Amino acid sequence: MAGTALTIPAAQVLSPADWQEREAAHARRVRQYADPYLARRSAGRKHPVEDFLFTYYTQKPGQLLRWHPGDGVVLSGTGAAVRKDWKYYKTLDGGELGRAGLPPGSVAVAFDRDSFLAERRESLLFARIILAGTAARPAQFGCFGLHEWAMVYRQEKFELRHEYLKLRLGGAGTDKVVEDNRIRCSHFDAFRFYTPDAVPLNELAPSRENQRTMEQPGCLHANMDLYKWAYKLSPALPSELVMDCFELSWRVRAMDMKASPYDLTDWGYPAIPIETPDGKAAYVEQQRAFSAEAQTLRGRLMAALAPLLDSLGSEAER
């Protein structure tokens, strides 16, 4: 792949004071979530809701804590030099300094688009397929969070996933909810945790192979996964956008578990009783609000990725 010259307007050059302020703000934002998790982990304690984003997803707290400005931004000043050894960063040479409006001999670093595209092209293209495809499909709001119930269906035959939690309706009551409702989960990474007896009850058959055509914007898990696509494409994306996705995912996870079969009252998460008409209505109301919020974030992600995709030319249209 031919190299692409760094052509960044001066307005996109951040002074040390500017980028260090953003870096510090990002650290404060991350630590309010990461520090309690790390303290629990050190003490050997678990939290069924608030550990999830650090245990299910592969991004670790230390990685999330590292602030990135994203594609097309130059960080100036000697303090930026530490990033020259970070993956997908580059030190600006004399010509690039001039194009960025910086004097010769300045210290400046930026995201290295060429090396990122050389190694992460397939991830970028797949993310575009998932994000754009999901955004274009109609949202479905009839699942009522039953994927969590299907994960413990007939659990006496199988190992309970959250062994330290109690089922709110007990085993028989939980099974009856599964049997009395239609289950139409469209998200493979939820469906794959079903108990064997629950698998044939799902009216859809999501798989890794059909993921790109199955995901839809009403799905809580598809909306939580905006965080996954965001961090997988770091440092091409600004960390502020990654954290917007993280915080949406955090709130969606809380709703997901409130609507689950588990009794989380003692953890501070009152139930959304989806086995009742009122509970179903409450679930759909919140699901619709999250879907609208996620669609906005999905659009922001696609807009942020557009310059990288444009640099791939016709390859990005496949």
Side-chain angles (χ1 to χ4, degrees):
M1 181 179 67
T4 54
L6 185 67
T7 54
I8 299 174
Q12 289 299 102
V13 177
L14 297 183
S15 70
D18 287 339
W19 68 259
Q20 287 169 8
E21 180 180 353
R22 285 177 59 182
E23 184 178 51
H26 174 72
R28 291 191 297 271
R29 192 176 179 187
V30 172
R31 287 193 183 282
Q32 64 181 315
Y33 302 99
D35 286 357
Y37 163 71
L38 293 171
R40 285 192 300 272
R41 189 178 70 177
S42 179
R45 294 184 285 109
K46 298 179 181 179
H47 195 295
V49 181
E50 297 172 12
D51 290 352
F52 182 78
L53 268 62
F54 297 114
T55 56
Y56 176 76
Y57 293 111
T58 59
Q59 173 96 318
K60 301 307 178 188
Q63 296 170 307
L64 183 61
L65 190 62
R66 181 172 281 190
W67 176 77
H68 304 288
D71 182 35
V73 179
V74 170
L75 305 182
S76 64
T78 56
V82 68
R83 295 170 181 253
K84 66 182 178 61
D85 295 323
W86 291 12
K87 194 168 187 179
Y88 305 128
Y89 274 83
K90 62 182 293 183
T91 301
L92 272 62
D93 62 25
E96 291 167 334
L97 288 171
R99 287 191 290 273
L102 292 170
S106 298
V107 177
V109 301
F111 168 71
D112 188 344
R113 181 188 289 186
D114 286 347
S115 65
F116 181 86
L117 291 178
E119 296 183 15
R120 304 301 306 282
R121 181 187 295 104
E122 294 306 315
S123 295
L124 175 63
L125 292 172
F126 187 70
R128 179 191 65 82
I129 290 169
I130 294 293
L131 293 170
T134 303
R137 294 186 193 101
Q140 304 297 318
F141 299 109
C143 69
F144 306 120
L146 285 162
H147 55 276
E148 289 286 343
W149 299 68
M151 294 176 193
V152 293
Y153 179 59
R154 295 181 179 172
Q155 59 93 15
E156 71 279 358
K157 294 173 57 178
F158 310 102
E159 182 180 355
L160 184 63
R161 294 183 62 241
H162 297 293
E163 71 282 355
Y164 60 103
L165 299 176
K166 294 185 295 186
L167 295 175
R168 184 166 54 82
L169 302 180
T174 299
D175 293 348
K176 188 174 189 303
V177 171
V178 174
E179 293 160 357
D180 288 350
N181 287 274
R182 296 177 64 193
I183 307 181
R184 293 181 54 82
C185 180
S186 58
H187 196 272
F188 174 67
D189 284 316
F191 178 67
R192 67 190 177 96
F193 291 111
Y194 279 26
T195 64
D197 285 1
V199 169
L201 301 179
N202 203 65
E203 295 184 3
L204 304 175
S207 67
R208 189 65 70 205
E209 290 70 29
N210 66 20
Q211 180 182 8
R212 64 185 62 200
T213 60
M214 184 73 75
E215 292 198 6
Q216 48 86 17
C219 172
L220 292 188
H221 276 259
N223 294 331
M224 277 195 286
D225 278 353
L226 290 178
Y227 169 56
K228 176 178 70 175
W229 302 119
Y231 78 71
K232 281 183 176 292
L233 296 174
S234 290
L237 298 174
S239 289
E240 290 86 352
L241 178 54
V242 176
M243 276 304 294
D244 287 345
C245 294
F246 176 97
E247 289 180 342
L248 172 66
S249 185
W250 182 277
R251 290 183 285 115
V252 172
R253 171 62 176 177
M255 177 197 165
D256 194 34
M257 291 302 283
K258 287 180 181 180
S260 77
Y262 305 112
D263 184 354
L264 299 175
T265 306
D266 291 344
W267 298 85
Y269 291 86
I272 300 173
I274 57 91
E275 70 276 11
T276 69
D278 286 348
K280 284 182 169 66
Y283 183 92
V284 171
E285 181 181 7
Q286 294 183 49
Q287 186 182 26
R288 287 182 179 275
F290 279 133
S291 178
E293 188 175 351
Q295 284 287 64
T296 298
L297 268 180
R298 205 170 268 115
R300 288 174 59 197
L301 284 170
M302 289 190 291
L305 295 174
L308 283 85
L309 290 163
D310 288 346
S311 70
L312 294 178
S314 61
E315 184 178 0
E317 301 300 322
R318 296 176 188 172

PDB file of all heavy atoms in Angstrom, residues 155-176:
ATOM      1  N   GLN A 155     -31.665 -25.184  34.300  1.00  0.00           N
ATOM      2  CA  GLN A 155     -30.301 -25.087  34.802  1.00  0.00           C
ATOM      3  C   GLN A 155     -29.906 -26.237  35.727  1.00  0.00           C
ATOM      4  O   GLN A 155     -28.724 -26.453  35.965  1.00  0.00           O
ATOM      5  CB  GLN A 155     -30.084 -23.740  35.510  1.00  0.00           C
ATOM      6  CG  GLN A 155     -31.006 -23.472  36.682  1.00  0.00           C
ATOM      7  CD  GLN A 155     -30.432 -23.895  38.008  1.00  0.00           C
ATOM      8  OE1 GLN A 155     -29.243 -24.145  38.090  1.00  0.00           O
ATOM      9  NE2 GLN A 155     -31.260 -24.011  39.026  1.00  0.00           N
ATOM     10  N   GLU A 156     -30.896 -26.970  36.210  1.00  0.00           N
ATOM     11  CA  GLU A 156     -30.520 -28.113  37.054  1.00  0.00           C
ATOM     12  C   GLU A 156     -29.753 -29.168  36.262  1.00  0.00           C
ATOM     13  O   GLU A 156     -29.005 -29.965  36.841  1.00  0.00           O
ATOM     14  CB  GLU A 156     -31.766 -28.742  37.697  1.00  0.00           C
ATOM     15  CG  GLU A 156     -32.677 -29.503  36.751  1.00  0.00           C
ATOM     16  CD  GLU A 156     -33.611 -28.604  35.955  1.00  0.00           C
ATOM     17  OE1 GLU A 156     -33.581 -27.367  36.172  1.00  0.00           O
ATOM     18  OE2 GLU A 156     -34.372 -29.124  35.120  1.00  0.00           O
ATOM     19  N   LYS A 157     -29.898 -29.147  34.943  1.00  0.00           N
ATOM     20  CA  LYS A 157     -29.165 -30.081  34.095  1.00  0.00           C
ATOM     21  C   LYS A 157     -27.784 -29.548  33.695  1.00  0.00           C
ATOM     22  O   LYS A 157     -26.958 -30.296  33.184  1.00  0.00           O
ATOM     23  CB  LYS A 157     -29.965 -30.376  32.820  1.00  0.00           C
ATOM     24  CG  LYS A 157     -31.261 -31.125  33.050  1.00  0.00           C
ATOM     25  CD  LYS A 157     -32.067 -31.237  31.767  1.00  0.00           C
ATOM     26  CE  LYS A 157     -31.312 -31.913  30.641  1.00  0.00           C
ATOM     27  NZ  LYS A 157     -32.127 -32.048  29.413  1.00  0.00           N
ATOM     28  N   PHE A 158     -27.583 -28.256  33.934  1.00  0.00           N
ATOM     29  CA  PHE A 158     -26.361 -27.621  33.437  1.00  0.00           C
ATOM     30  C   PHE A 158     -25.759 -26.753  34.536  1.00  0.00           C
ATOM     31  O   PHE A 158     -26.406 -26.421  35.520  1.00  0.00           O
ATOM     32  CB  PHE A 158     -26.674 -26.750  32.209  1.00  0.00           C
ATOM     33  CG  PHE A 158     -27.468 -27.479  31.160  1.00  0.00           C
ATOM     34  CD1 PHE A 158     -28.832 -27.271  31.032  1.00  0.00           C
ATOM     35  CD2 PHE A 158     -26.861 -28.409  30.327  1.00  0.00           C
ATOM     36  CE1 PHE A 158     -29.574 -27.951  30.076  1.00  0.00           C
ATOM     37  CE2 PHE A 158     -27.592 -29.102  29.365  1.00  0.00           C
ATOM     38  CZ  PHE A 158     -28.948 -28.865  29.242  1.00  0.00           C
ATOM     39  N   GLU A 159     -24.535 -26.333  34.349  1.00  0.00           N
ATOM     40  CA  GLU A 159     -23.869 -25.477  35.324  1.00  0.00           C
ATOM     41  C   GLU A 159     -24.412 -24.062  35.222  1.00  0.00           C
ATOM     42  O   GLU A 159     -24.443 -23.470  34.152  1.00  0.00           O
ATOM     43  CB  GLU A 159     -22.358 -25.457  35.068  1.00  0.00           C
ATOM     44  CG  GLU A 159     -21.590 -24.628  36.083  1.00  0.00           C
ATOM     45  CD  GLU A 159     -20.103 -24.640  35.801  1.00  0.00           C
ATOM     46  OE1 GLU A 159     -19.688 -25.363  34.877  1.00  0.00           O
ATOM     47  OE2 GLU A 159     -19.373 -23.912  36.485  1.00  0.00           O
ATOM     48  N   LEU A 160     -24.864 -23.501  36.345  1.00  0.00           N
ATOM     49  CA  LEU A 160     -25.378 -22.145  36.381  1.00  0.00           C
ATOM     50  C   LEU A 160     -24.244 -21.166  36.118  1.00  0.00           C
ATOM     51  O   LEU A 160     -23.201 -21.229  36.750  1.00  0.00           O
ATOM     52  CB  LEU A 160     -26.000 -21.865  37.755  1.00  0.00           C
ATOM     53  CG  LEU A 160     -26.679 -20.514  37.971  1.00  0.00           C
ATOM     54  CD1 LEU A 160     -27.877 -20.375  37.035  1.00  0.00           C
ATOM     55  CD2 LEU A 160     -27.129 -20.373  39.413  1.00  0.00           C
ATOM     56  N   ARG A 161     -24.457 -20.224  35.175  1.00  0.00           N
ATOM     57  CA  ARG A 161     -23.380 -19.323  34.763  1.00  0.00           C
ATOM     58  C   ARG A 161     -22.945 -18.409  35.900  1.00  0.00           C
ATOM     59  O   ARG A 161     -21.778 -18.194  36.130  1.00  0.00           O
ATOM     60  CB  ARG A 161     -23.838 -18.488  33.561  1.00  0.00           C
ATOM     61  CG  ARG A 161     -24.071 -19.322  32.310  1.00  0.00           C
ATOM     62  CD  ARG A 161     -24.462 -18.445  31.125  1.00  0.00           C
ATOM     63  NE  ARG A 161     -23.396 -17.514  30.800  1.00  0.00           N
ATOM     64  CZ  ARG A 161     -23.522 -16.190  30.833  1.00  0.00           C
ATOM     65  NH1 ARG A 161     -24.648 -15.647  31.229  1.00  0.00           N
ATOM     66  NH2 ARG A 161     -22.523 -15.414  30.503  1.00  0.00           N
ATOM     67  N   HIS A 162     -23.899 -17.814  36.606  1.00  0.00           N
ATOM     68  CA  HIS A 162     -23.565 -16.927  37.724  1.00  0.00           C
ATOM     69  C   HIS A 162     -23.857 -17.672  39.017  1.00  0.00           C
ATOM     70  O   HIS A 162     -24.879 -17.458  39.660  1.00  0.00           O
ATOM     71  CB  HIS A 162     -24.376 -15.633  37.632  1.00  0.00           C
ATOM     72  CG  HIS A 162     -24.074 -14.817  36.406  1.00  0.00           C
ATOM     73  ND1 HIS A 162     -22.863 -14.203  36.209  1.00  0.00           N
ATOM     74  CD2 HIS A 162     -24.812 -14.532  35.317  1.00  0.00           C
ATOM     75  CE1 HIS A 162     -22.876 -13.550  35.053  1.00  0.00           C
ATOM     76  NE2 HIS A 162     -24.047 -13.744  34.494  1.00  0.00           N
ATOM     77  N   GLU A 163     -22.946 -18.528  39.395  1.00  0.00           N
ATOM     78  CA  GLU A 163     -23.217 -19.460  40.472  1.00  0.00           C
ATOM     79  C   GLU A 163     -23.448 -18.786  41.810  1.00  0.00           C
ATOM     80  O   GLU A 163     -24.010 -19.377  42.720  1.00  0.00           O
ATOM     81  CB  GLU A 163     -22.083 -20.484  40.582  1.00  0.00           C
ATOM     82  CG  GLU A 163     -20.760 -19.945  41.121  1.00  0.00           C
ATOM     83  CD  GLU A 163     -19.949 -19.170  40.109  1.00  0.00           C
ATOM     84  OE1 GLU A 163     -20.361 -19.122  38.926  1.00  0.00           O
ATOM     85  OE2 GLU A 163     -18.915 -18.613  40.497  1.00  0.00           O
ATOM     86  N   TYR A 164     -23.019 -17.521  41.968  1.00  0.00           N
ATOM     87  CA  TYR A 164     -23.187 -16.839  43.245  1.00  0.00           C
ATOM     88  C   TYR A 164     -24.477 -16.011  43.298  1.00  0.00           C
ATOM     89  O   TYR A 164     -24.717 -15.283  44.257  1.00  0.00           O
ATOM     90  CB  TYR A 164     -21.983 -15.953  43.551  1.00  0.00           C
ATOM     91  CG  TYR A 164     -21.710 -14.849  42.540  1.00  0.00           C
ATOM     92  CD1 TYR A 164     -22.060 -13.529  42.810  1.00  0.00           C
ATOM     93  CD2 TYR A 164     -21.085 -15.133  41.337  1.00  0.00           C
ATOM     94  CE1 TYR A 164     -21.805 -12.526  41.895  1.00  0.00           C
ATOM     95  CE2 TYR A 164     -20.817 -14.138  40.429  1.00  0.00           C
ATOM     96  CZ  TYR A 164     -21.180 -12.829  40.704  1.00  0.00           C
ATOM     97  OH  TYR A 164     -20.930 -11.841  39.793  1.00  0.00           O
ATOM     98  N   LEU A 165     -25.333 -16.122  42.259  1.00  0.00           N
ATOM     99  CA  LEU A 165     -26.588 -15.390  42.226  1.00  0.00           C
ATOM    100  C   LEU A 165     -27.773 -16.347  42.322  1.00  0.00           C
ATOM    101  O   LEU A 165     -27.720 -17.475  41.830  1.00  0.00           O
ATOM    102  CB  LEU A 165     -26.701 -14.587  40.920  1.00  0.00           C
ATOM    103  CG  LEU A 165     -25.625 -13.529  40.678  1.00  0.00           C
ATOM    104  CD1 LEU A 165     -25.829 -12.898  39.319  1.00  0.00           C
ATOM    105  CD2 LEU A 165     -25.638 -12.482  41.772  1.00  0.00           C
ATOM    106  N   LYS A 166     -28.845 -15.854  42.912  1.00  0.00           N
ATOM    107  CA  LYS A 166     -30.069 -16.633  43.019  1.00  0.00           C
ATOM    108  C   LYS A 166     -31.032 -16.231  41.910  1.00  0.00           C
ATOM    109  O   LYS A 166     -31.076 -15.076  41.483  1.00  0.00           O
ATOM    110  CB  LYS A 166     -30.727 -16.404  44.387  1.00  0.00           C
ATOM    111  CG  LYS A 166     -29.924 -16.917  45.565  1.00  0.00           C
ATOM    112  CD  LYS A 166     -30.695 -16.772  46.858  1.00  0.00           C
ATOM    113  CE  LYS A 166     -30.924 -15.296  47.193  1.00  0.00           C
ATOM    114  NZ  LYS A 166     -31.555 -15.156  48.539  1.00  0.00           N
ATOM    115  N   LEU A 167     -31.814 -17.215  41.461  1.00  0.00           N
ATOM    116  CA  LEU A 167     -32.847 -16.931  40.483  1.00  0.00           C
ATOM    117  C   LEU A 167     -34.055 -16.312  41.192  1.00  0.00           C
ATOM    118  O   LEU A 167     -34.545 -16.844  42.192  1.00  0.00           O
ATOM    119  CB  LEU A 167     -33.257 -18.202  39.754  1.00  0.00           C
ATOM    120  CG  LEU A 167     -32.169 -18.849  38.888  1.00  0.00           C
ATOM    121  CD1 LEU A 167     -32.659 -20.166  38.307  1.00  0.00           C
ATOM    122  CD2 LEU A 167     -31.730 -17.909  37.777  1.00  0.00           C
ATOM    123  N   ARG A 168     -34.543 -15.209  40.655  1.00  0.00           N
ATOM    124  CA  ARG A 168     -35.614 -14.463  41.296  1.00  0.00           C
ATOM    125  C   ARG A 168     -36.899 -15.280  41.419  1.00  0.00           C
ATOM    126  O   ARG A 168     -37.621 -15.175  42.415  1.00  0.00           O
ATOM    127  CB  ARG A 168     -35.863 -13.175  40.486  1.00  0.00           C
ATOM    128  CG  ARG A 168     -36.879 -12.224  41.042  1.00  0.00           C
ATOM    129  CD  ARG A 168     -36.780 -10.864  40.349  1.00  0.00           C
ATOM    130  NE  ARG A 168     -36.877 -10.951  38.907  1.00  0.00           N
ATOM    131  CZ  ARG A 168     -38.021 -11.029  38.225  1.00  0.00           C
ATOM    132  NH1 ARG A 168     -39.183 -11.063  38.866  1.00  0.00           N
ATOM    133  NH2 ARG A 168     -38.024 -11.075  36.901  1.00  0.00           N
ATOM    134  N   LEU A 169     -37.199 -16.097  40.405  1.00  0.00           N
ATOM    135  CA  LEU A 169     -38.416 -16.907  40.402  1.00  0.00           C
ATOM    136  C   LEU A 169     -38.131 -18.383  40.667  1.00  0.00           C
ATOM    137  O   LEU A 169     -39.041 -19.212  40.568  1.00  0.00           O
ATOM    138  CB  LEU A 169     -39.139 -16.766  39.053  1.00  0.00           C
ATOM    139  CG  LEU A 169     -39.543 -15.359  38.627  1.00  0.00           C
ATOM    140  CD1 LEU A 169     -40.245 -15.386  37.276  1.00  0.00           C
ATOM    141  CD2 LEU A 169     -40.432 -14.693  39.672  1.00  0.00           C
ATOM    142  N   GLY A 170     -36.894 -18.706  41.013  1.00  0.00           N
ATOM    143  CA  GLY A 170     -36.531 -20.103  41.193  1.00  0.00           C
ATOM    144  C   GLY A 170     -36.390 -20.799  39.853  1.00  0.00           C
ATOM    145  O   GLY A 170     -36.700 -20.247  38.786  1.00  0.00           O
ATOM    146  N   GLY A 171     -35.932 -22.056  39.901  1.00  0.00           N
ATOM    147  CA  GLY A 171     -35.683 -22.789  38.664  1.00  0.00           C
ATOM    148  C   GLY A 171     -36.945 -23.045  37.858  1.00  0.00           C
ATOM    149  O   GLY A 171     -36.993 -22.767  36.656  1.00  0.00           O
ATOM    150  N   ALA A 172     -37.980 -23.560  38.495  1.00  0.00           N
ATOM    151  CA  ALA A 172     -39.220 -23.891  37.779  1.00  0.00           C
ATOM    152  C   ALA A 172     -39.874 -22.627  37.229  1.00  0.00           C
ATOM    153  O   ALA A 172     -40.389 -22.614  36.091  1.00  0.00           O
ATOM    154  CB  ALA A 172     -40.169 -24.638  38.710  1.00  0.00           C
ATOM    155  N   GLY A 173     -39.901 -21.564  38.039  1.00  0.00           N
ATOM    156  CA  GLY A 173     -40.500 -20.323  37.585  1.00  0.00           C
ATOM    157  C   GLY A 173     -39.748 -19.718  36.408  1.00  0.00           C
ATOM    158  O   GLY A 173     -40.362 -19.175  35.478  1.00  0.00           O
ATOM    159  N   THR A 174     -38.435 -19.804  36.438  1.00  0.00           N
ATOM    160  CA  THR A 174     -37.623 -19.304  35.329  1.00  0.00           C
ATOM    161  C   THR A 174     -37.895 -20.094  34.062  1.00  0.00           C
ATOM    162  O   THR A 174     -38.080 -19.528  32.972  1.00  0.00           O
ATOM    163  CB  THR A 174     -36.131 -19.389  35.697  1.00  0.00           C
ATOM    164  OG1 THR A 174     -35.884 -18.578  36.850  1.00  0.00           O
ATOM    165  CG2 THR A 174     -35.247 -18.925  34.552  1.00  0.00           C
ATOM    166  N   ASP A 175     -37.943 -21.409  34.181  1.00  0.00           N
ATOM    167  CA  ASP A 175     -38.207 -22.253  33.016  1.00  0.00           C
ATOM    168  C   ASP A 175     -39.568 -21.934  32.405  1.00  0.00           C
ATOM    169  O   ASP A 175     -39.729 -21.924  31.179  1.00  0.00           O
ATOM    170  CB  ASP A 175     -38.147 -23.725  33.411  1.00  0.00           C
ATOM    171  CG  ASP A 175     -36.747 -24.170  33.806  1.00  0.00           C
ATOM    172  OD1 ASP A 175     -35.787 -23.408  33.565  1.00  0.00           O
ATOM    173  OD2 ASP A 175     -36.619 -25.282  34.361  1.00  0.00           O
ATOM    174  N   LYS A 176     -40.552 -21.656  33.258  1.00  0.00           N
ATOM    175  CA  LYS A 176     -41.905 -21.373  32.760  1.00  0.00           C
ATOM    176  C   LYS A 176     -41.925 -20.076  31.955  1.00  0.00           C
ATOM    177  O   LYS A 176     -42.618 -19.990  30.926  1.00  0.00           O
ATOM    178  CB  LYS A 176     -42.894 -21.284  33.918  1.00  0.00           C
ATOM    179  CG  LYS A 176     -44.360 -21.180  33.491  1.00  0.00           C
ATOM    180  CD  LYS A 176     -45.287 -21.251  34.678  1.00  0.00           C
ATOM    181  CE  LYS A 176     -46.745 -21.359  34.226  1.00  0.00           C
ATOM    182  NZ  LYS A 176     -47.141 -20.231  33.336  1.00  0.00           N
TER     183      LYS A 176
END
